[in-house]
Amino acid sequence: MPVLLAPVDSVVEFGQEPIASPGGLGLVPLLGQPADEVGIVLLPGDDGVDDPRGRVETVRAAVVMHVPVEVAGRALRTAVDAGADILVSVGGGSTTGLAKAVALTTGLPIVAVPTTYAGSEATNVWGLTEGETKTTGVDDKVLPASVVYDAGLLTSLPGEMTVANGLSAMAHCVDSMWGPHADPIDRALAQEGIRALATGLTAVADDSTGVEGIEQTLYGAYLAAVAFASAGSGMHHKICHVLGGMFNLPHAQTHAVVLPYVLAFNAPHAPHAPEAEARIAQAFGSRKAAAGLAALREVLNAPRALRDYGMPEDGIAKALGPITKAIPDNNPAPVTDENLTALLKAAWAGDPIN
């Protein structure tokens, strides 16, 4: 998967004419396509092989959070009817997710241009929501063929979304310490991802338009996603996927709220627990992993409670069974109805970590 880091000297073909990007934050004015849409690109056929520029056509598909199956179906029909050759996603995780939903069926290649820190562009994980149930899976067909990172595309990302998105990326790192397939390389990548995210998010919190902070955060988000794709989805992500699909909660904020509770729940019991604890703590520059995350969350004024984002209190009991079923059998800490309920109640209310 080629990863392109803008600014670069490049030619971006999008729309009717090739557009030169001579360096600087070049992609922002060039894409000709709003964020949170998927461009379905038709490349020239044999009749245009000698002069492909200016013959690229695009159609677009709108994006909805959590990728409902009916939205994915419309995008798929659009791609098939248009005879699409490439999918270009410009936006956050839901945008990339919609492109992945189409690629899962068609096998079309994806060029991902992220405008948040979601990290989906660097994984082979897909997700679809039907009713109140979100289903995820893994398939190499959905891994984007190319990714373009440009800090200029994130300078207008609102501060609250930046914080939530960055902490969602950090959740990839934490799950990678003890995910179902985690290995020493995943833990090393996750440690560096946490360090970069903590550094970048602190800088972006001071100046949301600062390119250096954005680039550092993008770097961390990429490492986090690569580690997560290898380690697999652990307890944290299973909780968030169930809650997000069941109650239509905002994805990034849900991850940001749940993360410290799962870290405190799993860290003492994890395989290689001393190593994982030491790696996370060192990445934060703290003596303890949980303390390092807590200090960062305080600086960032991070999201604190699921109830703030629309989860009903009686949803805890409703979600308990599906979450228990989804959590991997090899989760570091034994999961019971009692301790999982306590975790969800604390996350719902935003209680102090115990």
Side-chain angles (χ1 to χ4, degrees):
M1 176 181 63
V3 177
L4 308 179
L5 300 175
V8 292
D9 291 328
S10 63
V11 171
V12 179
E13 292 183 4
F14 201 95
Q16 294 299 316
E17 297 293 335
I19 309 169
S21 173
L25 300 177
L27 294 181
V28 179
L30 302 186
L31 291 169
Q33 172 171 326
D36 297 329
E37 290 191 345
V38 174
I40 300 170
V41 180
L42 291 66
L43 295 179
D46 293 339
D47 59 339
V49 70
D50 55 345
D51 185 19
R53 297 183 179 187
R55 299 181 59 85
V56 178
E57 301 175 41
T58 66
V59 292
R60 295 172 179 173
V63 173
V64 177
M65 186 172 63
H66 298 304
V67 195
V69 292
E70 57 271 19
V71 174
R74 287 197 296 269
L76 174 62
R77 289 191 295 273
T78 300
V80 172
D81 292 347
D85 297 290
I86 296 174
L87 305 167
V88 180
S89 65
V90 183
S94 295
T95 309
T96 309
L98 181 59
K100 287 182 172 184
V102 177
L104 183 65
T105 301
T106 63
L108 289 171
I110 301 170
V111 177
V113 186
T115 62
T116 72
Y117 305 108
S120 179
E121 71 280 353
T123 79
N124 59 352
V125 179
W126 56 267
L128 288 166
T129 300
E130 186 168 11
E132 295 182 342
T133 302
K134 184 169 184 176
T135 302
T136 61
V138 174
D139 194 309
D140 287 343
K141 286 188 295 186
V142 308
L143 180 68
S146 293
V147 180
V148 179
Y149 287 110
D150 184 347
L153 294 173
L154 286 86
T155 55
S156 61
L157 188 67
E160 290 183 1
M161 180 55 71
T162 294
V163 168
N165 235 248
L167 291 173
S168 177
M170 192 167 286
H172 287 142
C173 296
V174 171
D175 249 3
S176 297
M177 291 290 179
W178 47 65
H181 311 297
D183 60 35
I185 296 174
D186 298 331
R187 289 190 286 274
L189 289 172
Q191 178 181 355
E192 174 63 3
I194 291 171
R195 184 207 62 77
L197 286 165
T199 301
L201 285 172
T202 302
V204 173
D206 288 336
D207 178 9
S208 62
T209 65
V211 172
E212 289 186 8
I214 293 172
E215 289 181 338
Q216 187 70 196
T217 309
L218 277 173
Y219 165 63
Y222 174 76
L223 292 179
V226 171
F228 177 74
S230 173
S233 183
M235 178 183 186
H236 172 90
H237 280 78
K238 297 303 184 183
I239 290 173
C240 294
H241 288 164
V242 170
L243 296 181
M246 188 171 287
F247 306 111
N248 198 33
L249 303 182
H251 180 86
Q253 289 86 343
T254 302
H255 281 275
V257 169
V258 172
L259 176 58
Y261 297 97
V262 174
L263 176 60
F265 186 90
N266 268 343
H269 304 277
H272 315 287
E275 178 195 356
E277 164 75 22
R279 283 186 179 278
I280 296 172
Q282 185 178 7
F284 282 125
S286 173
R287 292 181 61 187
K288 294 290 184 180
L293 177 59
L296 177 66
R297 286 172 54 82
E298 194 66 30
V299 169
L300 300 177
N301 191 25
R304 296 189 180 278
L306 293 173
R307 64 181 176 185
D308 295 339
Y309 298 97
M311 180 177 170
E313 186 173 11
D314 60 6
I316 295 171
K318 182 178 180 180
L320 191 65
I323 291 174
T324 301
K325 184 178 180 180
I327 293 173
D329 292 336
N330 63 346
N331 188 67
V335 178
T336 66
D337 285 352
E338 182 180 5
N339 62 21
L340 181 55
T341 298
L343 185 155
L344 293 174
K345 284 184 175 179
W348 178 82
D351 289 340
I353 305 295
N354 184 355

